[in-house]
Amino acid sequence: MKKDQNKSGYRPYPLKRLISGYLFLVILALGACSQPEQQKEERAKGQVQSEQLKTVTIPIEGMTCNACVASVKRKFKSMEGLEKAEVSLVHRNATLTYDPDKITPRQIRNAIHEVGYKADEPITETNR
């Protein structure tokens, strides 16, 4: 039996390590590690852009697992003009917020085809 072990074999987690982990998470959650000036500029830029953004939902066929969802999301992240992308395995679709000056729903559908899935016509399209 080791010196920090009791009779049942329980070894307590070092308190110092536990506290430092919690402090890191609290600091991260409060945003103390972020750059406030950059965030203000991004927010101001986002407010101007949000007036011209559109949202579209595109059905996707062929996704069978979370790896499929991840590959579609990875493709979306590489595309300029997509502001937000939510891919649902359960609903078999992608809901995307995009800038119509930079990208079109047809280009988004083509990107889904490039990854290896079938993308149907958008079922909803709205201004944001």
Side-chain angles (χ1 to χ4, degrees), residues 13-108:
Y13 196 78
L15 185 60
K16 192 176 192 179
R17 185 178 285 170
L18 185 66
I19 290 173
S20 65
Y22 281 126
L23 283 175
F24 173 75
L25 290 175
V26 168
I27 290 169
L28 191 62
L30 293 175
C33 298
S34 63
Q35 300 168 351
E37 289 302 317
Q38 183 180 358
Q39 286 179 346
K40 286 179 187 176
E41 290 173 10
E42 288 174 0
R43 264 189 246 124
K45 183 180 172 185
Q47 288 173 352
V48 172
Q49 287 181 348
S50 67
E51 295 172 3
Q52 57 190 341
L53 297 179
K54 289 188 175 185
T55 300
V56 66
T57 300
I58 300 175
I60 303 175
E61 292 181 27
M63 294 190 304
T64 57
C65 64
N66 286 329
C68 299
V69 171
S71 66
V72 173
K73 282 184 177 181
R74 195 171 25 256
K75 181 65 175 180
F76 289 157
K77 284 183 181 180
S78 70
M79 299 176 70
E80 187 177 339
L82 283 179
E83 299 296 319
K84 183 178 177 185
E86 295 175 6
V87 181
S88 172
L89 179 62
V90 174
H91 295 105
R92 305 272 196 258
N93 68 21
T95 302
L96 307 134
T97 302
Y98 68 99
D99 183 347
D101 294 334
K102 295 181 181 177
I103 195 165
T104 65
R106 179 168 294 287
Q107 290 172 312
I108 296 169

